[in-house]
């Protein structure tokens, strides 16, 4: 089940501080991990500084519990001149029961920027003819 997921980008133990009013992990915390995992994949292809342009549809398929280990896998699926698209898949593992469930999948778009925050070419980007 783990093959073809992309590279492991983040593994984090979920703590009580990350819960919502219902006692499960707050969706916003998972979104933050997704964004970080996508950036890790972007840095993996040589991007120095990226900004998030879009996070496409995120549907939570399963709740995440305190004590679960959340793993985010990320793969660059498209490269443009200064933008890139990353697919992130999120799984939660109960470390005692060893149950592993898919939490969500997201597609993110980033733009590579310079020190002034302006779009700039990705390393190795080729101008379309």
């Amino acid at each position: 089940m783990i093959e073809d997921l992309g590279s492991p980008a983040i593994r984090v133990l979920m703590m009580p501080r990350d819960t919502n009013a219902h006692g499960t992990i707050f969706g916003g915390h998972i979104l933050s991990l997704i964004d970080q995992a996508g950036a890790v994949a972007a840095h993996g292809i040589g991007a120095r500084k990226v900004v998030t342009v879009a996070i496409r549809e995120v549907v939570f398929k399963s709740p995440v519990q305190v004590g679960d280990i959340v793993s985010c896998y990320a793969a660059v699926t498209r490269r443009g001149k200064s933008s890139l698209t990353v697919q992130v898949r999120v799984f939660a593992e109960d470390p005692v029961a060893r149950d592993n469930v898919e939490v969500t999948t997201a597609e993110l778009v980033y733009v590579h920027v310079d020190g002034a925050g302006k779009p700039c070419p990705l390393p190795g980007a080729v101008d379309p003819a």
Side-chain angles (χ1 to χ4, degrees):
M1 179 161 108
I2 300 302
E3 58 277 344
D4 298 318
L5 297 181
S7 298
I10 297 177
R11 281 179 53 88
V12 181
L13 177 66
M14 295 295 98
M15 302 297 285
R17 70 177 176 267
D18 304 320
T19 59
N20 59 29
H22 305 289
T24 57
I25 301 303
F26 177 55
H29 184 67
I30 301 298
L31 288 172
S32 174
L33 294 175
I34 289 168
D35 198 18
Q36 291 175 59
V40 167
H43 296 313
I45 65 160
R48 296 186 52 76
K49 183 177 180 181
V50 293
V51 293
T52 309
V53 174
I55 299 178
R56 300 204 172 112
E57 186 176 55
V58 176
V59 176
F60 292 99
K61 302 172 187 173
S62 182
V64 179
Q65 307 296 325
V66 170
D68 284 354
I69 298 169
V70 170
S71 299
C72 299
Y73 295 84
V76 175
T77 57
R78 185 183 123 353
R79 286 178 60 135
K81 182 178 176 185
S82 63
S83 67
L84 63 148
T85 302
V86 178
Q87 182 82 21
V88 178
R89 294 185 68 191
V90 181
F91 292 83
E93 177 187 349
D94 177 330
V96 175
R98 295 302 217 188
D99 292 331
N100 196 21
V101 297
E102 186 170 10
V103 175
T104 192
T105 300
E107 184 178 75
L108 298 92
V109 178
Y110 297 92
V111 170
H112 187 237
V113 296
D114 61 19
K118 302 291 184 195
C120 63
L122 285 163
V126 177
D127 283 327

